[in-house]
């Protein structure tokens, strides 16, 4: 028998008996978990669902909780984790946040991406400050309370009707256990129609048996249920349509409502997934479960126009992307998506071929870069492949080929001009050559005292003033813009006059510091380099103007060749 003292102890210790202030929320919560395997596209399903809700007049935001220990992905090699996406407020985040923004056209922030590392950092800092008043600090309730606070955060302000949380990793991973436990607590504490769980799984097709298999899904739902979390909807990734019988079987064995098992067929483009989910009525299932009664017919007019143009290009342009992480598509995710947006705008298919800058030499450049209509030199860090990038810039400049340099790509354009036009032998960035005789790219003053790596670059949105009668002005059609950054080095203004005199025009600057943000070549049909990352703000409904004009220039170049 439980003694009274034991009961009192339990009441005091077990978290769900304690009142939690954060749970007074205005929003409803949807959690998206993944089963069977990683890379099923939880981010795309979350973004598609949010898009459908938005199209029905419901305001939604999406956040991602990642189980790894890094405080953020800023220090991760792109080979490990793909591109590091940067938000307006300067958070270095998971690339899924890029999808959220591209689908919704609303900015995310630091609060939209949380890792285990950040949770522990907060709790440990509190412990060091003595805020736990002598208590033993534990995963439950202290870590889960902090996860809960952050999971609910975006919903408490009243800004959103729905907060969608994507839980990184796969159900069953040791690392994601505290996140799933927190979902259980939230599901337990909130009214039933304020919270729901969407579980994304894989239905593999066995070619030998010519059969779709449901067992892995059954196992993953069982594993999720063992932790006390029960899915309301199961979204099945599949290469073949699921018939009613299979859907019924999954529903029965996984204990969800018959209509709540839906298929997510492989799509030719991620931008089609919202329409596939609309067809499967995922939005209506969600609205019903969350008891949301006020909503409109979905307005996807702009989205459909974009998709139509994307699927029916009138011609093709060939772009070379010169970078050093080309083996991994995800490393340049936002750039590749920006090309898709800009291609649709121009009604062309953008065929992007990645070229490893390490493989470019003065001897093979003509052959390697032949037959293309535009050249983009990608962002990056470190010395590897640098000379190849400079060779590529020279090729584009001399052959009047449309050129677009982003961040490191802009810095390479500056170095190339210094060396090959201005005759500044050995000109370089101090990032690659600290002892260069001509440091045309130098470390930013405020960076010189920084020793820590994580979150210390010049990050996030900064204004830029554009001079009239320039290519940049023609592109943006305004003199005041703001774009996102992620860099430590900058154009060295000690050389500004020499560059201007030699014909490289500085057309955009930070109004407060004078930092060079844009350079261009007036004598060239399209040659522009920017210190910032325009790809981070390109969305389906608002493609980045620089990409749109670059592709337009490539289209013209292609037409002239004919
Ligand atoms: N490595 C360069 C810098 O830090 C460029 C960074 C980038 O391309 N994002 O300035």
């Amino acid at each position: 028998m439980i003694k009274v003292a034991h009961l009192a102890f339990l009441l005091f210790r077990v978290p769900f008996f304690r009142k939690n202030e954060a749970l007074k929320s205005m929003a409803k919560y949807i959690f998206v978990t993944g089963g069977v395997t990683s890379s099923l596209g939880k981010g795309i399903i979350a973004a598609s669902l949010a898009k459908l809700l938005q199209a029905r007049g419901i305001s939604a935001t999406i956040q991602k909780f990642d189980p790894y220990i890094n405080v953020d992905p800023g220090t991760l090699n792109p080979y490990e984790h793909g591109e590091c996406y940067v938000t307006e407020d300067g958070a270095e985040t998971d690339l899924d946040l890029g999808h959220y923004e591209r689908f919704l056209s609303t900015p995310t922030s630091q609060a939209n991406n949380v890792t285990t590392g950040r949770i522990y950092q907060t709790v440990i800092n509190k412990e060091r400050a003595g805020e736990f008043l002598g208590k033993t600090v534990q995963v439950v309730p202290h870590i889960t309370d902090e996860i809960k606070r952050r999971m609910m955060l975006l919903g408490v302000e009243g800004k959103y009707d729905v907060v969608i949380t994507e839980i990184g990793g796969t159900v069953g991973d040791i690392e994601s256990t505290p996140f799933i436990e927190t979902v259980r607590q939230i599901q337990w504490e909130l009214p039933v129609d304020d919270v729901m769980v969407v579980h994304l799984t894989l239905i593999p097709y066995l070619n030998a048996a010519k059969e779709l298999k449901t067992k892995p899904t059954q196992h993953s739902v069982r594993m999720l249920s063992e932790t006390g979390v029960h899915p309301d909807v199961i979204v099945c990734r599949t290469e073949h349509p699921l018939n009613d019988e299979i859907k019924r079987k999954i529903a029965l064995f996984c204990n969800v409502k018959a209509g709540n098992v839906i298929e997510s067929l492989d799509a030719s483009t991620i931008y089609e997934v919202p329409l596939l989910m609309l067809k499967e009525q995922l939005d209506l299932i969600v609205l019903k479960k969350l008891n949301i009664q006020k909503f409109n017919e979905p307005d996807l007019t702009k989205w459909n126009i974009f998709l139509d143009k994307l699927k029916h290009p009138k011609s093709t342009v060939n772009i070379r992307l010169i970078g050093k992480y080309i083996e991994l598509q995800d490393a340049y995710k936002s750039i590749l998506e920006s090309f898709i947006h800009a291609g649709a705008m121009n009604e062309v298919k953008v065929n992007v071929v990645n070229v490893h800058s390490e493989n470019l030499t003065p001897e093979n450049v003509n052959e390697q870069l032949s037959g293309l209509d535009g050249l983009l030199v990608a962002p990056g860090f470190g010395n590897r492949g640098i000379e190849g990038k400079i060779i590529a810039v020279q090729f584009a400049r001399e052959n009047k080929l449309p050129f677009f340099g982003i961040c490191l790509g802009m810095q390479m354009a500056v170095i190339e001009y210094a060396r090959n036009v201005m005759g500044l032998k050995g000109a370089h960035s101090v990032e690659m050559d600290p002892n260069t005789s001509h440091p045309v790219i130098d470390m930013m003053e405020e960076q010189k005292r920084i020793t820590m790596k994580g979150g210390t670059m010049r990050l996030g949105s900064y204004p830029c003033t554009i001079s009239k009668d320039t290519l940049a002005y023609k592109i943006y059609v305004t003199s005041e813009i703001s774009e996102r950054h992620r860099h430590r080095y900058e154009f060295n203004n000690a050389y500004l006059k020499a560059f201007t005199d030699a014909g490289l025009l500085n057309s955009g600057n930070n109004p407060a510091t004078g930092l060079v943000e844009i350079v261009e070549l007036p004598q060239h049909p399209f040659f522009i380099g920017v210190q910032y990352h325009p790809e981070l703000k390109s969305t389906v409904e608002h493609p980045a103007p620089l990409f749109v004009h670059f592709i337009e220039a490539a289209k013209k170049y292609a037409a002239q060749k004919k």
Side-chain angles (χ1 to χ4, degrees):
M1 229 182 71
I2 302 177
K3 289 188 189 145
V4 176
H6 280 156
L7 202 59
F9 174 75
L10 272 176
L11 282 171
F12 182 67
R13 288 296 298 275
V14 176
F16 42 75
F17 284 110
R18 296 170 322 119
K19 189 168 157 24
N20 193 323
E21 285 303 316
L23 292 198
K24 280 188 210 145
S25 174
M26 319 274 290
K28 304 207 179 226
Y29 293 87
I30 303 171
F31 294 94
V32 180
T33 56
V36 182
T37 165
S38 57
S39 307
L40 287 182
K42 285 194 299 287
I44 301 297
I45 292 293
S48 300
L49 173 57
K51 183 74 216 170
L52 293 180
L53 295 175
Q54 186 192 56
R56 286 186 177 277
I58 312 268
S59 63
T61 188
I62 320 171
Q63 54 186 357
K64 172 130 195 228
F65 278 61
D66 274 313
Y68 53 75
I69 312 288
N70 303 64
V71 171
D72 63 41
T75 52
L76 285 174
N77 184 328
Y79 283 126
E80 288 274 324
H81 206 67
E83 161 191 275
C84 172
Y85 187 77
V86 179
T87 58
E88 285 289 291
D89 62 350
E92 295 179 294
T93 72
D94 186 81
L95 57 79
D96 269 332
L97 272 79
H99 289 309
Y100 307 161
E101 291 204 10
R102 288 188 279 275
F103 275 54
L104 295 181
S105 282
T106 53
T108 53
S109 69
Q110 180 72 74
N112 293 71
N113 192 197
V114 177
T115 67
T116 295
R118 192 172 293 279
I119 299 282
Y120 271 81
Q121 192 183 48
T122 310
V123 172
I124 290 170
N125 286 346
K126 269 190 182 174
E127 187 273 335
R128 292 290 82 185
E131 287 184 35
F132 292 107
L133 305 172
K135 291 260 180 311
T136 306
V137 181
Q138 295 178 300
V139 174
V140 182
H142 303 102
I143 293 297
T144 51
D145 273 357
E146 179 57 19
I147 296 174
K148 198 184 303 176
R149 186 183 72 78
R150 289 182 183 259
M151 279 182 172
M152 316 276 312
L153 199 62
L154 290 167
V156 292
E157 303 161 357
K159 209 166 133 195
Y160 301 106
D161 302 318
V162 173
V163 176
I164 301 177
T165 304
E166 179 192 345
I167 311 281
T170 309
V171 167
D173 294 348
I174 292 175
E175 292 183 322
S176 56
T177 309
F179 291 147
I180 303 287
E181 161 60 14
T182 311
V183 174
R184 184 192 69 76
Q185 292 181 22
I186 293 174
Q187 221 178 8
W188 191 86
E189 287 176 71
L190 286 184
V192 276
D193 53 9
D194 278 2
V195 56
M196 70 181 291
V197 174
V198 175
H199 188 59
L200 177 66
T201 72
L202 176 72
I203 306 290
Y205 180 74
L206 286 194
N207 209 11
K210 299 268 176 289
E211 251 185 274
L212 286 159
K213 291 296 186 189
T214 65
K215 196 72 92 193
T217 295
Q218 294 179 38
H219 281 301
S220 92
V221 172
R222 188 169 305 158
M223 208 180 299
L224 186 60
S225 297
E226 275 167 14
T227 63
V229 173
H230 195 72
D232 300 285
V233 180
I234 299 178
V235 178
C236 305
R237 267 304 292 276
T238 171
E239 289 173 11
H240 301 276
L242 304 183
N243 60 31
D244 284 348
E245 198 191 327
I246 289 187
K247 285 188 181 175
R248 225 176 305 117
K249 186 173 168 190
I250 297 169
L252 177 67
F253 284 106
C254 299
N255 200 20
V256 299
K257 293 243 160 32
N260 288 9
V261 175
I262 65 170
E263 70 183 21
S264 171
L265 274 168
D266 286 359
S268 58
T269 152
I270 55 168
Y271 298 111
E272 208 170 274
V273 180
L275 300 183
L276 295 180
M277 292 301 105
L278 183 70
K279 209 170 121 233
E280 290 291 300
Q281 303 195 333
L282 177 60
D283 52 338
L284 293 178
I285 295 171
V286 163
L287 291 166
K288 188 166 169 219
K289 167 68 181 81
L290 297 179
N291 195 20
I292 297 174
Q293 283 155 11
K294 260 185 70 189
F295 53 85
N296 310 325
E297 278 304 302
D299 179 3
L300 289 163
T301 318
K302 281 188 181 169
W303 193 271
N304 283 325
I305 293 173
F306 159 78
L307 257 188
D308 188 51
K309 286 188 176 169
L310 181 64
K311 286 185 173 168
H312 303 104
K314 294 191 175 133
S315 58
T316 301
V317 295
N318 291 308
I319 303 294
R320 291 284 192 284
L321 186 154
I322 315 285
K324 71 168 183 178
Y325 306 112
I326 60 161
E327 300 84 353
L328 187 77
Q329 284 293 311
D330 277 358
Y332 300 113
K333 194 81 201 159
S334 293
I335 291 178
L336 297 179
E337 296 303 322
S338 302
F339 276 135
I340 292 175
H341 309 155
M345 264 314 244
N346 282 289
E347 300 185 75
V348 295
K349 177 176 164 31
V350 182
N351 178 29
V352 183
V353 177
N354 293 334
V355 176
H356 205 304
S357 50
E358 252 181 342
N359 300 341
L360 280 178
T361 61
E363 292 72 41
N364 70 11
V365 63
N366 283 334
E367 170 219 334
Q368 289 269 336
L369 300 184
S370 67
L372 70 168
D373 309 312
L375 188 127
L376 182 137
V377 178
F381 297 84
N383 220 344
R384 195 162 70 96
I386 280 298
E387 291 305 318
K389 288 187 172 178
I390 296 171
I391 292 167
V393 178
Q394 183 178 6
F395 179 88
R397 182 177 57 75
E398 291 178 351
N399 291 288
K400 302 243 184 262
L401 180 71
F403 168 81
F404 184 12
I406 299 181
C407 206
L408 184 70
M410 170 266 199
Q411 297 176 356
M412 291 307 114
V414 169
I415 292 166
E416 192 279 323
Y417 208 76
R419 288 186 189 174
N420 298 333
V421 179
M422 295 159 70
L424 301 178
K425 230 172 137 238
H428 220 320
S429 162
V430 296
E431 179 181 5
M432 288 73 189
D433 179 2
N435 303 316
T436 169
S437 45
H438 292 291
V440 289
I441 304 293
D442 202 0
M443 188 177 257
M444 282 182 277
E445 208 41 52
E446 68 269 25
Q447 288 287 328
K448 291 184 180 158
R449 293 173 297 278
I450 294 173
T451 52
M452 294 291 269
K453 289 276 184 264
T456 56
M457 280 187 250
R458 179 174 183 249
L459 290 165
S461 194
Y462 286 92
C464 166
T465 305
I466 297 177
S467 314
K468 292 241 166 80
D469 300 322
T470 60
L471 175 61
Y473 190 87
K474 201 177 135 223
I475 289 169
Y476 282 98
V477 209
T478 172
S479 49
E480 302 303 327
I481 60 161
S482 122
E483 294 277 11
R484 300 184 199 171
H485 298 71
R486 185 174 187 246
H487 65 123
R488 284 189 211 284
Y489 299 86
E490 63 170 327
F491 182 101
N492 184 348
N493 271 332
Y495 287 87
L496 183 57
K497 190 174 175 317
F499 274 101
T500 313
D501 291 347
L504 187 76
L505 179 69
N506 163 216
S507 53
N509 298 76
N510 179 286
T513 60
L515 182 84
V516 170
E517 296 278 11
I518 313 177
V519 295
E520 57 185 77
L521 269 184
Q523 303 312 327
H524 190 288
F526 191 100
F527 187 105
I528 195 159
V530 294
Q531 185 57 77
Y532 51 81
H533 293 263
E535 73 276 19
L536 299 175
K537 276 176 67 170
S538 187
T539 73
V540 164
E541 288 166 18
H542 302 283
L546 268 163
F547 279 86
V548 174
H549 284 261
F550 176 54
I551 294 302
E552 189 189 42
K555 199 165 114 181
K556 267 193 207 144
Y557 186 89
Q560 276 163 16
K561 278 196 309 197
K562 281 185 188 151

